[in-house]
Structures are given as C-alpha cells and as structure tokens.
Amino acid sequence: MTTINDHFLKLKAGYLFPEIGRRVNAFTDSHPDAKVIKLGIGDVTEPLPEAIREALHRAVDEMGDRDSFRGYGPEQGYSFLREAIAENDYTSRGCDVSADEIFVSDGSKCDTGNILDIFGTDNTVAVQDPVYPVYVDTNVMCGRTGQADDQGRYAGLTYLPCTAENNFTPEVPDHPVDLIYLCYPNNPTGAVATKETLKKWVDFARSNGSIILFDAAYEAFIQDESLPRSIYEIDGARECAIEFRSFSKNAGFTGTRCAFTIVPKTLTGKKSDGSSHSLHALWNRRHCTKFNGVPYIIQRGAEAAYSDAGQQQIKELVQFYLTNAKILSEGLSSIGISVFGGENAPYIWLKTPDNMKSWEFFDHLLDQAHLVGTPGSGFGASGEGYFRLSAFNSRANVKEAVNRIKTLMG
Amino acid sequence: MTTINDHFLKLKAGYLFPEIGRRVNAFTDSHPDAKVIKLGIGDVTEPLPEAIREALHRAVDEMGDRDSFRGYGPEQGYSFLREAIAENDYTSRGCDVSADEIFVSDGSKCDTGNILDIFGTDNTVAVQDPVYPVYVDTNVMCGRTGQADDQGRYAGLTYLPCTAENNFTPEVPDHPVDLIYLCYPNNPTGAVATKETLKKWVDFARSNGSIILFDAAYEAFIQDESLPRSIYEIDGARECAIEFRSFSKNAGFTGTRCAFTIVPKTLTGKKSDGSSHSLHALWNRRHCTKFNGVPYIIQRGAEAAYSDAGQQQIKELVQFYLTNAKILSEGLSSIGISVFGGENAPYIWLKTPDNMKSWEFFDHLLDQAHLVGTPGSGFGASGEGYFRLSAFNSRANVKEAVNRIKTLMG
C-alpha cells in the first residue's frame, strides 16, 4: 500500500500567494468592472530589456541550424554564463568565487527548496520572522519541524523576530543552529544588512559549524555603496555560506526563469560518523541527477544581462522600480502611515493603520480601494500588523494606488 | 554542527553519462584528430522544428511590450499548453485526462526525481533492470535503499531483470511493491509494451494499492498502431498510475526543456494513520512550493508542437531518427550481432560480441572505431553484456558508424 509523505499534511492552508490569488479572483468575479491594481506578489511588470531579447532571438535562430543546435547542456550551466557571473558579480567586487562554484538554475525558489536534499533531517533551522514562506514550507515537507501552532509557527524551528523595535535586524541566536536562512535586502521587510551585521552571522556560523543560506535575490536594488551585495564580501563566508541569486528581479526574468547558486568548494558538512564531506560535491551530484539545466536560449538571454547594453538597461529598470518605491513611501508617510524599506529594496513594509490585523487590512484595501498588497502575517507571526506593498508596477498605477490610499485613509 | 544527507554517500561512482563524458574527453585529449561519433547519450541532433522556432520568436517579441509581457505564470503551466496537451495527447485517443491533471515542468528527469517528495520513505520500490539510472539514484538519495552490492544493486529495491530470455518484458513481482517504475518504449532496451502487458501491471497495482510511475518519454516513436501510447489507455490506470511525458525526444527539446506529468485526481496514497489523501493535491502543493513554472517563451514553443505544421515537422523528425535506427539495426545484424529495439524506439540494444563486458566493449569501440555508445551495465546489473546505441545523429554519421563497426568486427 503506497504511503504519502505525512509531513506535507502539517502545511498550513494554501501557500500565501495562491491564497491571495483566490481572494482577488473572488473579488473580481463579483466586481467585474473594478480596476484592481496589484502591488501584492513581487512580480515585475516592465518589458524584458532589449539587449536580452536580442540575445534570445539569436539563440532561437541558432537552434534552427544543426551546426549551432544545442541539445543537453552541462547541468550546471554553460561556461559562457558561469564565467560572466563570476567575473561581473564576484571577481570585480573582490569576492573569491570561481565559475565552477556557480550552479545555474531555473529559480531561487527552486534552489532554496532543493538545497535541503543534501542536508540531514536532524539539522536545526533558523529563519527570520517574517520570512519568505518557501524556506519554512520546504523544511516542513522534509520533516525538519513538528506541527504548527495557532500563529502558524512550526515546532522545532528557531524564529528570529524582525520588527520595528529591532529595526528588522535580529541578533544572532543564543543557542547553536545548523542551517540559517538570511535574506538581504530582505523580502518582505526591505531591510538591508551592513557588513558588520553579516560579520556577526559569519562569526556565529563558523563558531557553531552552521551553514548560512543567503538569499541575495534583491541585491541589484542596493544603492548605498557601503552595503555588501554578496555575503562573500565578508571574511570567512566561504567556510559557512551558500548564496542564492536570481535574474528575476533585476533583469525582469520572473517569467523567463534563470537564477544561480554559489556553493564554495571550501564548504563541508558532517556525516553521522563525524567525517567531513564537500557540500559542493553533494550539490553537484544532486544537480546532475535531478535537474537537466536551464534552456540554452534562456542562458544566452541571461548572459546578455552582463553586456554593456544589458547592464545599462537593467540599471534603468531598477531605478524605475526604486522611484516607484519612493513615490509609495512618501505618499504613505504623508498621511501618517509608518513605512519601512523601499530605499535599497523594491518593497515597502508598512504598519497597518488603526492596529488592523494584516488580513483585515488586505480585505479593507481590496474592497474599498481595489488595491492588492500582501498581508504581513502571511510571512510569519511577527509580520502580524504589517503589510507589504511592491514597487513592481507601472508609474501610473503606483501614483493611482497612492491617490486611492490617500482618499481612503488620508 | 551541520550534517549532510548520509544517503548520498551510498551512490556509486559518477552518474552514468558524466562518466562517459570523462572517458570520451580523456580519449579526445590524447587523440585530438580523431573524428569521434557519439551514439551514446540519448541526445537529439537535428534543428528545432520551424513552427516551434517561429512561436519562440513571437513569444520573445511579446516580452518586449509591457501589455503582452509575462511575469510569473501559473506554476502548473499556462492553460493554452495544458489544454493543447489534454486534447492532442489524451482526449483524441480516448483517454480521460483533463487539463488540470497536467503539470508542465522543465523535464521528465526532474519530475521522476521530484515526485518522490510526496511519498513516504517506507514505500518499497521496483525498477526494471536495466533501467534509467535516475529512478534508482533519486530513491537512494532519499533513503529508500540500503547499500549497493558489487554489481551495483541496492539493498531493498526490487529489480525486474529484462533480458533477451524474457524478451525484455518482465513479469509482475511475486510480492507486493508500492512504487513501480515502468518505461515504455523502454530506455535503454527499446522494448515496447502491449496493452495486455500494461493491463497486467495495472491489475497488479490495483490489487496491491501500488502506484505505477509510467515514463512515456519515447511514445512518439511508436509506429505499431496496436500499441498503447499512454497508460491511461488501460482501464483502471487512473486509479494507480502517474505518467511522465516530454518534448525532448519528439520535438527536439533536450536543450530547450519542457515536459509534463499527469497526476489523475482519482489517485490516493495512505497516511500512516491509514487515511487516504489525494496525490494530485500533494503534488500540486509540492509543485507550487518548490517550482516556479517553465519559461513563458518555452511554453509557447511547446504549444506550437501541436499546430498542424508542428505536428508534421515532428513526424518528419521522428521518422528521420527511426530510419537511422533501421540503418544501425540492419547493419549490425548483417555481421551477426544480435540487436533488439529500434522499431518503435530510438535505441538499439545489442548483445556485445565475444561475450565482452559492457565497459570493455565501450572502450574497444572508442579506441578502435572512435565510436561512443552506452555500456549496458551502466543501466543495471542485468544490462551487463549489452550495449546501447542511439539513433540520434545525422544520417552521414550513422552510416559512417555502421561502416566502422563492420570494418572492426565484420
């Protein structure tokens, strides 16, 4: 008799964004004429940069000629892309990351979930709270937690509350933890980490033999040149950190799908007999066995993100979204709403007015202003009473959203 | 202290194809002028059909206009593709499969590995032997086996030997098994299953509460109209089977990446308390949590495979490779080599001459004829003494390969 993975049944309700989708669909079904503006899911809205589209077209043409046709590529990604990443994102910033430590993939969501395959189920796990739900749910699925309590906190996980009181920057735990998820610039709070903050985490990890899973999907939004863009800017990170990056939010690849993960060859984990083993070798085996590479066409598109034209076009895209963030931030502040983030990140994190619960505010904003955001509590118990607005939208929609909020609450 | 997943260390040597790659690279490094012909890995060689390239170009252009730009799509795939699949591959052949039972993905390799996430680790597993190594390795990784013996057989797995003696068609086991992998047309042997054969498996699975994981990646190569192309042509399969399909081998997508998996809503598995749960719901949760969909551009390419022009171009591609298979098969037979498969499949499975071991024959063919094939033993202990040649190559290379084999062994 075939049995299921019981751990799946511990998962609470739907994954956050499908739940939002259901509520929005219900609203639009009953209000077909409402002009709903979506600032909820962190999905980009502007066209793929021209340099990238040109590269995609060229690659499609290559597939039409048997001499330039590409079948199976290296599972880890083509050298042309891995080398462009190493050079542009790491070597040029003084980080010691080589091309063969870079694993090209179809998304950071996939990678942050799949990386768990190589670790023992007995590892303890720490997450920031609020947090990108995938980190938690994928650990629930593979049995690293108990049941959830009525606030949605799973037994066995270490939650690191991030609230206005600690400036959304938690201290390191007072007990050892094996796997630590950090996301900077942060989704959902928009908080950033200084070198000093990351240094504390690297020191903590090294003294406890922990591994940091560092999600840097939003690094392109960092404007403050004193802030680190990669955890490998911190001494010792090669001994304790895996970094996740994506083309989704900088180059507009949410629907085009390309990302990468850095697993330094210097990282090790323990077998149950106490012997040390290379995490790079384990991930390489996992990647080659359960993945078959990103489409050649898409990899050529990602490569073009590093051309001079691509870099310029991406910079303009990022500035466009950051200006949206500024408009949202200033508009909300002007009517007395407390806002955070949005300066080095595409997210505005706000305190709900009148102490409304997050989902209450969600429904209020949808019903009364036809605006969609993301309830803070959907990201974790410490997100209750907060709300996320995304800067990913057209300028006109962002301005209209601010006007509607001012009308509703100003 | 971070621990690793110890089960990974049970895996034998390299995954088969990387090992072949290493030996070929070593040979070409020391023989830079040798014109090596590769009939090893089952990788297509001919251009992407024109109808598909045209659709890809159109989709790239759509990404350049904010009104037609696509960000995150449905994780399960766009309706336009799911509906095209349901209609063309299933409804039109009388199979009861609906669009929302189809999960579009980036590859059958990924899906056959990832599907294991939703099943308990206590399930017993049966595989054909020889077998596509991914089925075995992914089960090893998640702890459903013990150690391998010196023939590479893992403790705890049920191996179903497929040899010339049973016409590469094993009987159902004499004991219950929970998860059963079947691949027809078979990789690597090229064997096919009649409706009667599949009926035996469906009956076995239903009487034991087993789930069949049916890999139909090569269905497009079936020429004999009496053979089933889908397991859902068999009564009762909706109660016991998951089917995997791919665009890799019919439409030439090995480097373009698109596949799909059918999980009928009628399938259930048991929780440890004995209650029944929908596998469709579990897989949907897994797919939405750990995957973010196939690139929009690529899904438009896959959709074009179902247009009239796409269907015609794919038919021509399949016929081209099957003619290659015939040339290989007839050439080898003419010098007394026993060959199997190749009629409804793109693989020739041959008995090595002079009772050579599979890897011995591999090295012999590479050294003496500069030909690359795949050692049968790489697919499992019962593949020892066999060898796989792929029909995926140019006509000129296939003819040249036959000539070289005739010269070497004729």
Side-chain angles (χ1 to χ4, degrees):
Chain A
M1 189 67 78
T2 309
T3 65
I4 62 164
N5 175 350
D6 284 15
H7 301 302
F8 270 62
L9 302 180
K10 296 176 190 165
L11 291 165
K12 292 283 107 182
Y15 175 66
L16 175 61
F17 296 110
E19 174 61 23
I20 291 173
R22 276 190 291 276
R23 294 198 189 202
V24 172
N25 288 339
F27 178 80
T28 52
D29 284 351
S30 57
H31 301 75
D33 296 331
K35 185 176 172 280
V36 173
I37 296 177
K38 298 183 182 180
L39 302 170
I41 189 168
D43 193 3
V44 297
T45 56
E46 302 309 301
L48 267 191
E50 185 179 9
I52 290 169
R53 284 182 282 121
E54 285 173 355
L56 292 169
H57 277 306
R58 281 194 301 272
V60 171
D61 286 336
E62 283 183 68
M63 298 298 272
D65 180 336
R66 90 178 302 283
D67 290 333
S68 53
F69 174 82
R70 306 280 184 131
Y72 291 121
E75 289 92 344
Q76 304 90 340
Y78 280 99
S79 293
F80 63 75
L81 179 55
R82 298 171 91 190
E83 282 163 14
I85 293 167
E87 170 58 29
N88 289 277
D89 286 333
Y90 295 100
T91 311
S92 70
R93 293 189 60 86
C95 296
D96 176 18
V97 169
S98 64
D100 62 357
E101 294 176 320
I102 296 167
F103 293 84
V104 177
S105 80
D106 64 330
S108 288
K109 179 181 175 184
C110 321
D111 283 350
T112 55
N114 292 335
I115 196 80
L116 296 176
D117 282 6
I118 68 170
F119 293 107
T121 50
D122 56 342
N123 287 293
T124 54
V125 176
V127 294
Q128 293 170 291
D129 174 18
V131 67
Y132 180 49
V134 167
Y135 308 156
V136 174
D137 289 359
T138 53
N139 274 289
V140 174
M141 287 175 173
C142 60
R144 279 201 198 85
T145 74
Q147 298 290 344
D149 65 18
D150 54 11
Q151 287 189 296
R153 285 198 171 106
Y154 291 91
L157 287 191
T158 295
Y159 289 91
L160 307 168
C162 303
T163 61
E165 289 67 39
N166 65 8
N167 200 25
F168 306 99
T169 306
E171 289 300 316
V172 301
D174 55 10
H175 59 277
V177 182
D178 301 316
L179 297 173
I180 301 158
Y181 289 87
L182 294 178
C183 176
Y184 287 113
N186 189 260
N187 173 17
T189 70
V192 291
T194 62
K195 284 187 180 171
E196 293 64 38
T197 297
L198 290 189
K199 182 71 167 61
K200 282 188 203 172
W201 282 106
V202 167
D203 290 345
F204 175 85
R206 293 192 68 189
S207 63
N208 289 285
S210 326
I211 297 291
I212 295 170
L213 302 170
F214 190 76
D215 186 345
Y218 297 94
E219 65 82 24
F221 292 87
I222 293 176
Q223 301 298 299
D224 179 342
E225 283 298 327
S226 73
L227 295 172
R229 288 168 170 262
S230 164
I231 197 162
Y232 303 116
E233 294 183 35
I234 312 302
D235 281 345
R238 283 184 58 85
E239 274 63 56
C240 66
I242 291 171
E243 180 165 294
F244 303 93
R245 292 263 191 121
S246 171
F247 294 95
S248 284
K249 306 302 165 81
N250 58 351
F253 269 49
T254 54
T256 301
R257 314 299 317 139
C258 195
F260 55 92
T261 290
I262 312 295
V263 185
K265 292 186 174 173
T266 37
L267 288 182
T268 59
K270 295 285 182 200
K271 191 183 172 190
S272 50
D273 66 6
S275 57
S276 289
H277 295 268
S278 161
L279 297 183
H280 183 279
L282 293 180
W283 180 245
N284 190 56
R285 185 64 191 247
R286 194 275 173 209
H287 204 73
C288 291
T289 305
K290 294 176 79 169
F291 184 64
N292 235 332
V294 169
Y296 170 72
I297 295 166
I298 304 298
Q299 290 190 60
R300 282 294 186 196
E303 180 193 27
Y306 296 105
S307 67
D308 289 344
Q311 289 281 292
Q312 182 57 35
Q313 290 161 18
I314 285 174
K315 197 172 166 187
E316 288 164 15
L317 258 185
V318 167
Q319 286 303 326
F320 174 82
Y321 291 126
L322 283 173
T323 302
N324 282 351
K326 194 171 182 207
I327 292 167
L328 281 169
S329 186
E330 291 180 350
L332 271 59
S333 296
S334 75
I335 55 168
I337 295 175
S338 298
V339 297
F340 309 95
E343 290 180 6
N344 297 284
Y347 296 121
I348 304 293
W349 187 245
L350 61 93
K351 192 87 195 70
T352 57
D354 305 326
N355 289 315
M356 268 190 260
K357 295 276 190 183
S358 297
W359 276 109
E360 192 184 348
F361 188 67
F362 175 90
D363 290 332
H364 180 63
L365 217 54
L366 178 58
D367 289 341
Q368 302 299 316
H370 308 170
L371 294 179
V372 181
T374 310
S377 60
F379 295 103
S382 296
E384 182 60 272
Y386 291 92
F387 199 77
R388 190 187 79 174
L389 290 176
S390 150
F392 295 119
N393 215 312
S394 68
R395 184 62 41 80
N397 278 346
V398 165
K399 288 184 174 172
E400 169 68 13
V402 169
N403 287 340
R404 291 187 195 174
I405 294 174
K406 283 184 174 175
T407 303
L408 181 66
M409 287 176 285
Chain B
M1 188 68 78
T2 309
T3 64
I4 63 164
N5 175 350
D6 283 15
H7 301 302
F8 270 63
L9 303 180
K10 296 175 189 166
L11 291 164
K12 292 283 108 181
Y15 175 67
L16 174 61
F17 296 110
E19 173 62 25
I20 290 174
R22 276 189 292 276
R23 294 199 190 200
V24 172
N25 288 341
F27 177 81
T28 53
D29 284 351
S30 57
H31 301 77
D33 297 331
K35 185 176 172 281
V36 172
I37 296 177
K38 297 183 183 181
L39 302 170
I41 190 166
D43 194 4
V44 298
T45 57
E46 303 307 302
L48 267 190
E50 186 180 8
I52 290 169
R53 283 182 283 119
E54 286 172 355
L56 292 169
H57 277 306
R58 281 195 301 272
V60 171
D61 287 336
E62 283 184 67
M63 299 297 272
D65 181 336
R66 89 177 301 285
D67 290 332
S68 53
F69 174 81
R70 307 280 185 131
Y72 291 121
E75 289 93 343
Q76 304 89 343
Y78 280 99
S79 293
F80 63 74
L81 180 55
R82 298 171 93 191
E83 282 164 14
I85 293 167
E87 170 57 30
N88 288 277
D89 286 333
Y90 295 101
T91 311
S92 70
R93 293 189 60 85
C95 295
D96 176 18
V97 170
S98 64
D100 63 356
E101 294 176 322
I102 296 168
F103 293 83
V104 176
S105 80
D106 65 328
S108 288
K109 180 180 175 185
C110 320
D111 283 350
T112 55
N114 291 335
I115 196 80
L116 296 176
D117 282 6
I118 68 169
F119 293 108
T121 50
D122 55 342
N123 287 293
T124 53
V125 176
V127 294
Q128 293 170 290
D129 174 18
V131 66
Y132 179 48
V134 168
Y135 308 156
V136 173
D137 289 358
T138 54
N139 274 290
V140 174
M141 287 175 173
C142 59
R144 281 202 196 83
T145 74
Q147 298 288 346
D149 65 18
D150 55 10
Q151 287 189 296
R153 286 197 171 106
Y154 291 92
L157 288 190
T158 295
Y159 289 92
L160 306 168
C162 303
T163 61
E165 289 67 39
N166 64 7
N167 200 25
F168 306 100
T169 306
E171 289 300 315
V172 300
D174 56 9
H175 59 278
V177 183
D178 301 317
L179 297 172
I180 302 159
Y181 289 86
L182 295 178
C183 176
Y184 288 113
N186 189 260
N187 173 18
T189 68
V192 290
T194 61
K195 286 187 178 169
E196 292 66 37
T197 296
L198 290 190
K199 183 70 168 61
K200 281 188 203 172
W201 282 106
V202 167
D203 291 346
F204 174 85
R206 294 193 66 190
S207 63
N208 289 287
S210 326
I211 298 291
I212 294 171
L213 301 170
F214 190 76
D215 186 345
Y218 297 94
E219 65 83 24
F221 293 86
I222 293 176
Q223 302 299 296
D224 180 341
E225 283 298 327
S226 73
L227 294 172
R229 287 167 172 263
S230 164
I231 197 163
Y232 303 116
E233 294 183 35
I234 311 302
D235 282 345
R238 282 183 57 86
E239 274 64 54
C240 65
I242 290 171
E243 180 165 296
F244 304 93
R245 292 262 192 121
S246 171
F247 294 95
S248 284
K249 307 300 165 82
N250 57 352
F253 269 48
T254 53
T256 302
R257 315 301 315 141
C258 195
F260 56 93
T261 290
I262 313 295
V263 186
K265 292 187 175 173
T266 37
L267 287 182
T268 60
K270 296 285 183 199
K271 191 182 171 190
S272 50
D273 66 6
S275 58
S276 288
H277 294 268
S278 161
L279 297 183
H280 182 279
L282 293 180
W283 180 245
N284 190 57
R285 184 65 189 247
R286 194 274 172 210
H287 204 72
C288 290
T289 305
K290 295 176 78 169
F291 184 63
N292 236 331
V294 169
Y296 170 72
I297 296 165
I298 304 297
Q299 290 190 60
R300 283 294 186 196
E303 179 193 27
Y306 296 105
S307 67
D308 289 344
Q311 288 281 292
Q312 181 58 35
Q313 289 161 19
I314 284 174
K315 196 172 166 186
E316 287 165 14
L317 258 185
V318 167
Q319 286 303 325
F320 174 81
Y321 291 126
L322 282 172
T323 302
N324 282 351
K326 193 172 183 208
I327 291 168
L328 282 169
S329 186
E330 290 179 353
L332 271 58
S333 295
S334 76
I335 54 168
I337 295 176
S338 298
V339 298
F340 310 96
E343 291 180 4
N344 296 285
Y347 295 121
I348 303 294
W349 188 245
L350 61 92
K351 192 86 195 69
T352 57
D354 305 326
N355 290 316
M356 269 190 257
K357 296 276 190 182
S358 296
W359 276 110
E360 190 184 350
F361 187 67
F362 174 92
D363 290 332
H364 181 64
L365 217 54
L366 178 58
D367 289 342
Q368 301 299 315
H370 308 170
L371 295 178
V372 181
T374 310
S377 60
F379 295 103
S382 297
E384 182 60 272
Y386 291 92
F387 198 78
R388 191 188 79 174
L389 290 176
S390 150
F392 295 118
N393 217 312
S394 68
R395 184 62 41 81
N397 278 347
V398 166
K399 288 184 173 172
E400 170 68 13
V402 169
N403 287 340
R404 290 187 195 174
I405 294 173
K406 283 183 175 176
T407 303
L408 182 66
M409 287 175 285

